[in-house]
PDB file of all heavy atoms in Angstrom:
ATOM      1  N   ASP Q  28      92.393  79.992  14.541  1.00  0.00           N
ATOM      2  CA  ASP Q  28      91.235  80.331  15.515  1.00  0.00           C
ATOM      3  C   ASP Q  28      91.103  81.714  15.841  1.00  0.00           C
ATOM      4  O   ASP Q  28      90.137  82.019  16.513  1.00  0.00           O
ATOM      5  CB  ASP Q  28      91.484  79.392  16.753  1.00  0.00           C
ATOM      6  CG  ASP Q  28      91.563  77.887  16.540  1.00  0.00           C
ATOM      7  OD1 ASP Q  28      90.733  77.535  15.674  1.00  0.00           O
ATOM      8  OD2 ASP Q  28      92.298  77.222  17.226  1.00  0.00           O
ATOM      9  N   THR Q  29      92.063  82.611  15.519  1.00  0.00           N
ATOM     10  CA  THR Q  29      91.986  83.907  15.947  1.00  0.00           C
ATOM     11  C   THR Q  29      91.798  84.995  14.860  1.00  0.00           C
ATOM     12  O   THR Q  29      92.039  86.092  14.978  1.00  0.00           O
ATOM     13  CB  THR Q  29      93.147  84.325  16.780  1.00  0.00           C
ATOM     14  OG1 THR Q  29      94.463  84.153  16.072  1.00  0.00           O
ATOM     15  CG2 THR Q  29      93.200  83.478  18.011  1.00  0.00           C
ATOM     16  N   VAL Q  30      91.578  84.467  13.577  1.00  0.00           N
ATOM     17  CA  VAL Q  30      91.379  85.337  12.446  1.00  0.00           C
ATOM     18  C   VAL Q  30      90.088  86.167  12.792  1.00  0.00           C
ATOM     19  O   VAL Q  30      89.014  85.672  12.948  1.00  0.00           O
ATOM     20  CB  VAL Q  30      91.128  84.510  11.157  1.00  0.00           C
ATOM     21  CG1 VAL Q  30      90.775  85.537  10.063  1.00  0.00           C
ATOM     22  CG2 VAL Q  30      92.326  83.795  10.821  1.00  0.00           C
ATOM     23  N   PRO Q  31      90.244  87.558  12.775  1.00  0.00           N
ATOM     24  CA  PRO Q  31      89.084  88.398  13.082  1.00  0.00           C
ATOM     25  C   PRO Q  31      87.921  88.279  11.990  1.00  0.00           C
ATOM     26  O   PRO Q  31      88.240  88.324  10.797  1.00  0.00           O
ATOM     27  CB  PRO Q  31      89.702  89.845  13.094  1.00  0.00           C
ATOM     28  CG  PRO Q  31      91.112  89.603  13.172  1.00  0.00           C
ATOM     29  CD  PRO Q  31      91.390  88.249  12.607  1.00  0.00           C
ATOM     30  N   PRO Q  32      86.669  87.970  12.468  1.00  0.00           N
ATOM     31  CA  PRO Q  32      85.603  87.957  11.492  1.00  0.00           C
ATOM     32  C   PRO Q  32      85.440  89.225  10.617  1.00  0.00           C
ATOM     33  O   PRO Q  32      85.125  89.124   9.513  1.00  0.00           O
ATOM     34  CB  PRO Q  32      84.393  87.870  12.375  1.00  0.00           C
ATOM     35  CG  PRO Q  32      84.911  87.328  13.699  1.00  0.00           C
ATOM     36  CD  PRO Q  32      86.264  87.795  13.839  1.00  0.00           C
ATOM     37  N   THR Q  33      85.842  90.364  11.158  1.00  0.00           N
ATOM     38  CA  THR Q  33      85.878  91.617  10.441  1.00  0.00           C
ATOM     39  C   THR Q  33      86.739  91.474   9.215  1.00  0.00           C
ATOM     40  O   THR Q  33      86.456  92.127   8.212  1.00  0.00           O
ATOM     41  CB  THR Q  33      86.249  92.809  11.334  1.00  0.00           C
ATOM     42  OG1 THR Q  33      85.410  92.835  12.488  1.00  0.00           O
ATOM     43  CG2 THR Q  33      86.000  94.126  10.596  1.00  0.00           C
ATOM     44  N   ALA Q  34      87.836  90.850   9.426  1.00  0.00           N
ATOM     45  CA  ALA Q  34      88.861  90.697   8.312  1.00  0.00           C
ATOM     46  C   ALA Q  34      88.213  90.021   7.142  1.00  0.00           C
ATOM     47  O   ALA Q  34      88.373  90.373   5.958  1.00  0.00           O
ATOM     48  CB  ALA Q  34      90.152  90.029   8.781  1.00  0.00           C
ATOM     49  N   LEU Q  35      87.458  88.850   7.409  1.00  0.00           N
ATOM     50  CA  LEU Q  35      86.835  88.109   6.264  1.00  0.00           C
ATOM     51  C   LEU Q  35      85.742  89.064   5.729  1.00  0.00           C
ATOM     52  O   LEU Q  35      85.457  88.970   4.489  1.00  0.00           O
ATOM     53  CB  LEU Q  35      86.128  86.865   7.043  1.00  0.00           C
ATOM     54  CG  LEU Q  35      87.177  85.815   7.443  1.00  0.00           C
ATOM     55  CD1 LEU Q  35      86.524  84.648   8.167  1.00  0.00           C
ATOM     56  CD2 LEU Q  35      88.097  85.214   6.326  1.00  0.00           C
ATOM     57  N   THR Q  36      85.148  89.833   6.511  1.00  0.00           N
ATOM     58  CA  THR Q  36      84.027  90.657   5.913  1.00  0.00           C
ATOM     59  C   THR Q  36      84.529  91.632   4.993  1.00  0.00           C
ATOM     60  O   THR Q  36      84.041  91.871   3.920  1.00  0.00           O
ATOM     61  CB  THR Q  36      83.150  91.331   7.115  1.00  0.00           C
ATOM     62  OG1 THR Q  36      82.648  90.325   7.982  1.00  0.00           O
ATOM     63  CG2 THR Q  36      82.116  92.320   6.541  1.00  0.00           C
ATOM     64  N   LEU Q  37      85.695  92.227   5.481  1.00  0.00           N
ATOM     65  CA  LEU Q  37      86.291  93.262   4.472  1.00  0.00           C
ATOM     66  C   LEU Q  37      86.818  92.685   3.342  1.00  0.00           C
ATOM     67  O   LEU Q  37      86.888  93.197   2.208  1.00  0.00           O
ATOM     68  CB  LEU Q  37      87.552  93.949   5.318  1.00  0.00           C
ATOM     69  CG  LEU Q  37      87.096  95.072   6.339  1.00  0.00           C
ATOM     70  CD1 LEU Q  37      88.452  95.306   7.184  1.00  0.00           C
ATOM     71  CD2 LEU Q  37      86.638  96.232   5.569  1.00  0.00           C
ATOM     72  N   MET Q  38      87.350  91.339   3.398  1.00  0.00           N
ATOM     73  CA  MET Q  38      87.830  90.680   2.234  1.00  0.00           C
ATOM     74  C   MET Q  38      86.754  90.461   1.092  1.00  0.00           C
ATOM     75  O   MET Q  38      86.818  90.811  -0.036  1.00  0.00           O
ATOM     76  CB  MET Q  38      88.371  89.369   2.546  1.00  0.00           C
ATOM     77  CG  MET Q  38      88.929  88.584   1.308  1.00  0.00           C
ATOM     78  SD  MET Q  38      89.125  86.821   1.594  1.00  0.00           S
ATOM     79  CE  MET Q  38      87.474  86.279   1.527  1.00  0.00           C
ATOM     80  N   TRP Q  39      85.573  90.069   1.573  1.00  0.00           N
ATOM     81  CA  TRP Q  39      84.401  89.779   0.735  1.00  0.00           C
ATOM     82  C   TRP Q  39      83.909  91.167   0.135  1.00  0.00           C
ATOM     83  O   TRP Q  39      83.576  91.211  -1.081  1.00  0.00           O
ATOM     84  CB  TRP Q  39      83.358  89.175   1.377  1.00  0.00           C
ATOM     85  CG  TRP Q  39      83.523  87.665   1.793  1.00  0.00           C
ATOM     86  CD1 TRP Q  39      83.696  87.130   3.009  1.00  0.00           C
ATOM     87  CD2 TRP Q  39      83.723  86.550   0.782  1.00  0.00           C
ATOM     88  NE1 TRP Q  39      83.908  85.702   2.889  1.00  0.00           N
ATOM     89  CE2 TRP Q  39      84.093  85.463   1.443  1.00  0.00           C
ATOM     90  CE3 TRP Q  39      83.836  86.510  -0.605  1.00  0.00           C
ATOM     91  CZ2 TRP Q  39      84.297  84.090   0.862  1.00  0.00           C
ATOM     92  CZ3 TRP Q  39      84.059  85.332  -1.177  1.00  0.00           C
ATOM     93  CH2 TRP Q  39      84.307  84.167  -0.412  1.00  0.00           C
ATOM     94  N   ALA Q  40      83.813  92.212   0.938  1.00  0.00           N
ATOM     95  CA  ALA Q  40      83.478  93.495   0.541  1.00  0.00           C
ATOM     96  C   ALA Q  40      84.461  93.983  -0.508  1.00  0.00           C
ATOM     97  O   ALA Q  40      84.092  94.582  -1.557  1.00  0.00           O
ATOM     98  CB  ALA Q  40      83.365  94.417   1.710  1.00  0.00           C
ATOM     99  N   GLY Q  41      85.778  93.865  -0.209  1.00  0.00           N
ATOM    100  CA  GLY Q  41      86.697  94.348  -1.122  1.00  0.00           C
ATOM    101  C   GLY Q  41      86.766  93.654  -2.474  1.00  0.00           C
ATOM    102  O   GLY Q  41      86.752  94.215  -3.530  1.00  0.00           O
ATOM    103  N   LEU Q  42      86.560  92.326  -2.531  1.00  0.00           N
ATOM    104  CA  LEU Q  42      86.513  91.580  -3.701  1.00  0.00           C
ATOM    105  C   LEU Q  42      85.268  92.028  -4.520  1.00  0.00           C
ATOM    106  O   LEU Q  42      85.250  92.146  -5.718  1.00  0.00           O
ATOM    107  CB  LEU Q  42      86.355  90.100  -3.467  1.00  0.00           C
ATOM    108  CG  LEU Q  42      87.558  89.481  -2.819  1.00  0.00           C
ATOM    109  CD1 LEU Q  42      87.394  87.893  -2.542  1.00  0.00           C
ATOM    110  CD2 LEU Q  42      88.914  89.706  -3.645  1.00  0.00           C
ATOM    111  N   THR Q  43      84.086  92.251  -3.910  1.00  0.00           N
ATOM    112  CA  THR Q  43      82.914  92.599  -4.588  1.00  0.00           C
ATOM    113  C   THR Q  43      82.979  93.981  -5.205  1.00  0.00           C
ATOM    114  O   THR Q  43      82.720  94.065  -6.406  1.00  0.00           O
ATOM    115  CB  THR Q  43      81.702  92.710  -3.595  1.00  0.00           C
ATOM    116  OG1 THR Q  43      81.527  91.344  -2.973  1.00  0.00           O
ATOM    117  CG2 THR Q  43      80.448  93.114  -4.255  1.00  0.00           C
ATOM    118  N   VAL Q  44      83.627  94.911  -4.554  1.00  0.00           N
ATOM    119  CA  VAL Q  44      83.812  96.188  -5.029  1.00  0.00           C
ATOM    120  C   VAL Q  44      84.854  96.221  -6.240  1.00  0.00           C
ATOM    121  O   VAL Q  44      84.685  96.837  -7.219  1.00  0.00           O
ATOM    122  CB  VAL Q  44      84.360  97.215  -3.989  1.00  0.00           C
ATOM    123  CG1 VAL Q  44      84.668  98.567  -4.663  1.00  0.00           C
ATOM    124  CG2 VAL Q  44      83.279  97.426  -2.893  1.00  0.00           C
ATOM    125  N   LEU Q  45      85.985  95.342  -6.133  1.00  0.00           N
ATOM    126  CA  LEU Q  45      86.922  95.201  -7.098  1.00  0.00           C
ATOM    127  C   LEU Q  45      86.193  94.668  -8.412  1.00  0.00           C
ATOM    128  O   LEU Q  45      86.543  95.057  -9.541  1.00  0.00           O
ATOM    129  CB  LEU Q  45      88.003  94.334  -6.643  1.00  0.00           C
ATOM    130  CG  LEU Q  45      89.135  94.877  -5.873  1.00  0.00           C
ATOM    131  CD1 LEU Q  45      89.986  93.784  -5.276  1.00  0.00           C
ATOM    132  CD2 LEU Q  45      89.985  95.906  -6.729  1.00  0.00           C
ATOM    133  N   ILE Q  46      85.375  93.699  -8.174  1.00  0.00           N
ATOM    134  CA  ILE Q  46      84.724  92.949  -9.335  1.00  0.00           C
ATOM    135  C   ILE Q  46      83.793  93.981 -10.117  1.00  0.00           C
ATOM    136  O   ILE Q  46      83.815  94.100 -11.360  1.00  0.00           O
ATOM    137  CB  ILE Q  46      83.949  91.754  -8.889  1.00  0.00           C
ATOM    138  CG1 ILE Q  46      84.808  90.700  -8.514  1.00  0.00           C
ATOM    139  CG2 ILE Q  46      82.931  91.236 -10.025  1.00  0.00           C
ATOM    140  CD1 ILE Q  46      84.152  89.634  -7.811  1.00  0.00           C
ATOM    141  N   ILE Q  47      83.004  94.815  -9.316  1.00  0.00           N
ATOM    142  CA  ILE Q  47      82.237  95.791  -9.890  1.00  0.00           C
ATOM    143  C   ILE Q  47      82.913  96.775 -10.503  1.00  0.00           C
ATOM    144  O   ILE Q  47      82.595  97.234 -11.817  1.00  0.00           O
ATOM    145  CB  ILE Q  47      81.167  96.423  -8.922  1.00  0.00           C
ATOM    146  CG1 ILE Q  47      80.311  95.257  -8.315  1.00  0.00           C
ATOM    147  CG2 ILE Q  47      80.377  97.485  -9.402  1.00  0.00           C
ATOM    148  CD1 ILE Q  47      79.514  95.776  -6.975  1.00  0.00           C
ATOM    149  N   GLY Q  48      84.011  97.401  -9.897  1.00  0.00           N
ATOM    150  CA  GLY Q  48      84.856  98.485 -10.552  1.00  0.00           C
ATOM    151  C   GLY Q  48      85.469  97.974 -11.798  1.00  0.00           C
ATOM    152  O   GLY Q  48      85.489  98.663 -12.795  1.00  0.00           O
ATOM    153  N   ASN Q  49      85.980  96.733 -11.865  1.00  0.00           N
ATOM    154  CA  ASN Q  49      86.484  96.240 -13.100  1.00  0.00           C
ATOM    155  C   ASN Q  49      85.495  96.141 -14.255  1.00  0.00           C
ATOM    156  O   ASN Q  49      85.891  96.430 -15.392  1.00  0.00           O
ATOM    157  CB  ASN Q  49      87.075  94.824 -12.856  1.00  0.00           C
ATOM    158  CG  ASN Q  49      87.786  94.311 -14.041  1.00  0.00           C
ATOM    159  OD1 ASN Q  49      88.983  94.595 -14.352  1.00  0.00           O
ATOM    160  ND2 ASN Q  49      87.098  93.434 -14.870  1.00  0.00           N
ATOM    161  N   GLY Q  50      84.282  95.950 -13.928  1.00  0.00           N
ATOM    162  CA  GLY Q  50      83.278  95.926 -14.978  1.00  0.00           C
ATOM    163  C   GLY Q  50      83.027  97.277 -15.694  1.00  0.00           C
ATOM    164  O   GLY Q  50      82.802  97.289 -16.869  1.00  0.00           O
ATOM    165  N   PHE Q  51      83.165  98.300 -14.862  1.00  0.00           N
ATOM    166  CA  PHE Q  51      83.062  99.582 -15.448  1.00  0.00           C
ATOM    167  C   PHE Q  51      84.364 100.072 -16.190  1.00  0.00           C
ATOM    168  O   PHE Q  51      84.350 100.738 -17.271  1.00  0.00           O
ATOM    169  CB  PHE Q  51      82.794 100.622 -14.338  1.00  0.00           C
ATOM    170  CG  PHE Q  51      81.376 100.613 -13.816  1.00  0.00           C
ATOM    171  CD1 PHE Q  51      80.981 100.068 -12.676  1.00  0.00           C
ATOM    172  CD2 PHE Q  51      80.357 101.233 -14.634  1.00  0.00           C
ATOM    173  CE1 PHE Q  51      79.656 100.045 -12.224  1.00  0.00           C
ATOM    174  CE2 PHE Q  51      79.027 101.274 -14.181  1.00  0.00           C
ATOM    175  CZ  PHE Q  51      78.629 100.593 -13.051  1.00  0.00           C
ATOM    176  N   PHE Q  52      85.407  99.756 -15.604  1.00  0.00           N
ATOM    177  CA  PHE Q  52      86.701 100.195 -16.041  1.00  0.00           C
ATOM    178  C   PHE Q  52      87.290  99.465 -17.349  1.00  0.00           C
ATOM    179  O   PHE Q  52      87.486 100.112 -18.477  1.00  0.00           O
ATOM    180  CB  PHE Q  52      87.841 100.146 -14.980  1.00  0.00           C
ATOM    181  CG  PHE Q  52      89.129 100.877 -15.300  1.00  0.00           C
ATOM    182  CD1 PHE Q  52      89.345 102.067 -14.764  1.00  0.00           C
ATOM    183  CD2 PHE Q  52      90.084 100.197 -16.044  1.00  0.00           C
ATOM    184  CE1 PHE Q  52      90.617 102.729 -15.019  1.00  0.00           C
ATOM    185  CE2 PHE Q  52      91.250 100.894 -16.446  1.00  0.00           C
ATOM    186  CZ  PHE Q  52      91.531 102.083 -15.889  1.00  0.00           C
ATOM    187  N   LYS Q  53      87.347  98.163 -17.272  1.00  0.00           N
ATOM    188  CA  LYS Q  53      88.116  97.390 -18.331  1.00  0.00           C
ATOM    189  C   LYS Q  53      87.535  97.534 -19.701  1.00  0.00           C
ATOM    190  O   LYS Q  53      88.209  97.844 -20.631  1.00  0.00           O
ATOM    191  CB  LYS Q  53      88.128  96.008 -17.837  1.00  0.00           C
ATOM    192  CG  LYS Q  53      88.939  95.052 -18.810  1.00  0.00           C
ATOM    193  CD  LYS Q  53      90.345  95.545 -18.838  1.00  0.00           C
ATOM    194  CE  LYS Q  53      91.232  94.645 -19.666  1.00  0.00           C
ATOM    195  NZ  LYS Q  53      92.699  95.134 -19.871  1.00  0.00           N
ATOM    196  N   PRO Q  54      86.255  97.354 -20.034  1.00  0.00           N
ATOM    197  CA  PRO Q  54      85.796  97.353 -21.304  1.00  0.00           C
ATOM    198  C   PRO Q  54      85.842  98.775 -22.076  1.00  0.00           C
ATOM    199  O   PRO Q  54      86.048  98.994 -23.204  1.00  0.00           O
ATOM    200  CB  PRO Q  54      84.447  96.782 -21.388  1.00  0.00           C
ATOM    201  CG  PRO Q  54      83.866  97.234 -20.024  1.00  0.00           C
ATOM    202  CD  PRO Q  54      85.176  97.124 -19.060  1.00  0.00           C
ATOM    203  N   ASN Q  55      85.652  99.695 -21.142  1.00  0.00           N
ATOM    204  CA  ASN Q  55      85.401 101.127 -21.716  1.00  0.00           C
ATOM    205  C   ASN Q  55      86.727 101.872 -22.012  1.00  0.00           C
ATOM    206  O   ASN Q  55      86.847 102.731 -22.843  1.00  0.00           O
ATOM    207  CB  ASN Q  55      84.630 101.907 -20.704  1.00  0.00           C
ATOM    208  CG  ASN Q  55      83.218 101.332 -20.503  1.00  0.00           C
ATOM    209  OD1 ASN Q  55      82.537 101.051 -21.489  1.00  0.00           O
ATOM    210  ND2 ASN Q  55      82.868 101.120 -19.296  1.00  0.00           N
ATOM    211  N   ILE Q  56      87.851 101.520 -21.300  1.00  0.00           N
ATOM    212  CA  ILE Q  56      89.169 102.139 -21.682  1.00  0.00           C
ATOM    213  C   ILE Q  56      89.641 101.520 -22.948  1.00  0.00           C
ATOM    214  O   ILE Q  56      90.274 102.198 -23.722  1.00  0.00           O
ATOM    215  CB  ILE Q  56      90.180 102.016 -20.514  1.00  0.00           C
ATOM    216  CG1 ILE Q  56      91.255 102.897 -20.794  1.00  0.00           C
ATOM    217  CG2 ILE Q  56      90.571 100.641 -20.323  1.00  0.00           C
ATOM    218  CD1 ILE Q  56      92.280 103.127 -19.726  1.00  0.00           C
ATOM    219  N   SER Q  57      89.393 100.231 -23.150  1.00  0.00           N
ATOM    220  CA  SER Q  57      89.851  99.686 -24.457  1.00  0.00           C
ATOM    221  C   SER Q  57      89.010 100.326 -25.690  1.00  0.00           C
ATOM    222  O   SER Q  57      89.483 100.510 -26.671  1.00  0.00           O
ATOM    223  CB  SER Q  57      89.618  98.097 -24.473  1.00  0.00           C
ATOM    224  OG  SER Q  57      90.318  97.564 -23.367  1.00  0.00           O
ATOM    225  N   THR Q  58      87.710 100.521 -25.482  1.00  0.00           N
ATOM    226  CA  THR Q  58      86.885 101.240 -26.417  1.00  0.00           C
ATOM    227  C   THR Q  58      87.492 102.636 -26.878  1.00  0.00           C
ATOM    228  O   THR Q  58      87.426 102.976 -28.036  1.00  0.00           O
ATOM    229  CB  THR Q  58      85.472 101.309 -25.987  1.00  0.00           C
ATOM    230  OG1 THR Q  58      84.959 100.023 -25.695  1.00  0.00           O
ATOM    231  CG2 THR Q  58      84.642 101.913 -27.018  1.00  0.00           C
ATOM    232  N   MET Q  59      87.991 103.391 -25.914  1.00  0.00           N
ATOM    233  CA  MET Q  59      88.507 104.626 -26.062  1.00  0.00           C
ATOM    234  C   MET Q  59      89.696 104.585 -27.110  1.00  0.00           C
ATOM    235  O   MET Q  59      89.885 105.648 -27.747  1.00  0.00           O
ATOM    236  CB  MET Q  59      88.849 105.325 -24.841  1.00  0.00           C
ATOM    237  CG  MET Q  59      87.652 105.742 -23.942  1.00  0.00           C
ATOM    238  SD  MET Q  59      88.098 106.927 -22.736  1.00  0.00           S
ATOM    239  CE  MET Q  59      88.128 108.402 -23.737  1.00  0.00           C
ATOM    240  N   VAL Q  60      90.501 103.583 -27.091  1.00  0.00           N
ATOM    241  CA  VAL Q  60      91.637 103.546 -27.881  1.00  0.00           C
ATOM    242  C   VAL Q  60      91.198 103.670 -29.368  1.00  0.00           C
ATOM    243  O   VAL Q  60      91.670 104.502 -30.186  1.00  0.00           O
ATOM    244  CB  VAL Q  60      92.446 102.233 -27.831  1.00  0.00           C
ATOM    245  CG1 VAL Q  60      93.592 102.110 -28.842  1.00  0.00           C
ATOM    246  CG2 VAL Q  60      93.069 102.134 -26.370  1.00  0.00           C
ATOM    247  N   GLY Q  61      90.163 102.789 -29.863  1.00  0.00           N
ATOM    248  CA  GLY Q  61      89.620 102.979 -31.216  1.00  0.00           C
ATOM    249  C   GLY Q  61      88.988 104.319 -31.572  1.00  0.00           C
ATOM    250  O   GLY Q  61      89.008 104.733 -32.689  1.00  0.00           O
ATOM    251  N   GLN Q  62      88.386 104.981 -30.447  1.00  0.00           N
ATOM    252  CA  GLN Q  62      87.753 106.146 -30.772  1.00  0.00           C
ATOM    253  C   GLN Q  62      88.651 107.319 -31.026  1.00  0.00           C
ATOM    254  O   GLN Q  62      88.250 108.428 -31.460  1.00  0.00           O
ATOM    255  CB  GLN Q  62      86.882 106.542 -29.537  1.00  0.00           C
ATOM    256  CG  GLN Q  62      85.650 105.531 -29.290  1.00  0.00           C
ATOM    257  CD  GLN Q  62      84.954 105.912 -28.099  1.00  0.00           C
ATOM    258  OE1 GLN Q  62      85.306 106.508 -27.153  1.00  0.00           O
ATOM    259  NE2 GLN Q  62      83.698 105.298 -27.971  1.00  0.00           N
ATOM    260  N   LEU Q  63      89.949 107.114 -30.816  1.00  0.00           N
ATOM    261  CA  LEU Q  63      91.010 108.293 -31.006  1.00  0.00           C
ATOM    262  C   LEU Q  63      91.245 108.370 -32.558  1.00  0.00           C
ATOM    263  O   LEU Q  63      91.874 109.388 -32.900  1.00  0.00           O
ATOM    264  CB  LEU Q  63      92.316 107.879 -30.265  1.00  0.00           C
ATOM    265  CG  LEU Q  63      92.255 107.941 -28.854  1.00  0.00           C
ATOM    266  CD1 LEU Q  63      93.607 107.468 -28.260  1.00  0.00           C
ATOM    267  CD2 LEU Q  63      92.021 109.337 -28.219  1.00  0.00           C
ATOM    268  N   TYR Q  64      90.819 107.443 -33.297  1.00  0.00           N
ATOM    269  CA  TYR Q  64      91.244 107.429 -34.780  1.00  0.00           C
ATOM    270  C   TYR Q  64      89.943 107.459 -35.655  1.00  0.00           C
ATOM    271  O   TYR Q  64      88.929 106.985 -35.368  1.00  0.00           O
ATOM    272  CB  TYR Q  64      91.909 106.086 -34.987  1.00  0.00           C
ATOM    273  CG  TYR Q  64      93.287 106.041 -34.276  1.00  0.00           C
ATOM    274  CD1 TYR Q  64      93.226 105.491 -32.954  1.00  0.00           C
ATOM    275  CD2 TYR Q  64      94.474 106.456 -34.734  1.00  0.00           C
ATOM    276  CE1 TYR Q  64      94.384 105.435 -32.156  1.00  0.00           C
ATOM    277  CE2 TYR Q  64      95.647 106.347 -33.940  1.00  0.00           C
ATOM    278  CZ  TYR Q  64      95.516 105.757 -32.693  1.00  0.00           C
ATOM    279  OH  TYR Q  64      96.685 105.663 -31.993  1.00  0.00           O
ATOM    280  N   PRO Q  65      90.047 108.191 -36.815  1.00  0.00           N
ATOM    281  CA  PRO Q  65      89.083 108.116 -37.829  1.00  0.00           C
ATOM    282  C   PRO Q  65      88.788 106.735 -38.413  1.00  0.00           C
ATOM    283  O   PRO Q  65      89.706 105.915 -38.328  1.00  0.00           O
ATOM    284  CB  PRO Q  65      89.639 109.084 -38.908  1.00  0.00           C
ATOM    285  CG  PRO Q  65      91.021 109.039 -38.717  1.00  0.00           C
ATOM    286  CD  PRO Q  65      91.290 108.945 -37.320  1.00  0.00           C
ATOM    287  N   LYS Q  66      87.596 106.558 -38.880  1.00  0.00           N
ATOM    288  CA  LYS Q  66      87.190 105.264 -39.329  1.00  0.00           C
ATOM    289  C   LYS Q  66      88.071 104.870 -40.583  1.00  0.00           C
ATOM    290  O   LYS Q  66      88.264 105.714 -41.405  1.00  0.00           O
ATOM    291  CB  LYS Q  66      85.794 105.251 -39.768  1.00  0.00           C
ATOM    292  CG  LYS Q  66      85.214 103.917 -40.254  1.00  0.00           C
ATOM    293  CD  LYS Q  66      83.757 104.010 -40.475  1.00  0.00           C
ATOM    294  CE  LYS Q  66      83.179 102.672 -40.976  1.00  0.00           C
ATOM    295  NZ  LYS Q  66      81.815 102.722 -41.320  1.00  0.00           N
TER     296      LYS Q  66
END
């Protein structure tokens, strides 16, 4: 009954930012591995 509403807001905001950030980070670092080598 005493969980601060701000805590829930921060949780949703944090999850949203994590999801967006992962979208930029994850596929592009894997791509760079292949780019280090000649065809």
Side-chain angles (χ1 to χ4, degrees):
D28 296 326
T29 61
V30 174
T33 307
L35 294 172
T36 301
L37 280 169
M38 182 200 72
W39 289 116
L42 294 180
T43 301
V44 175
L45 280 168
I46 290 166
I47 296 172
N49 183 83
F51 282 104
F52 189 100
K53 185 61 180 172
N55 297 309
I56 192 169
S57 300
T58 301
M59 288 195 78
V60 176
Q62 293 175 347
L63 294 173
Y64 299 86
K66 187 175 181 179

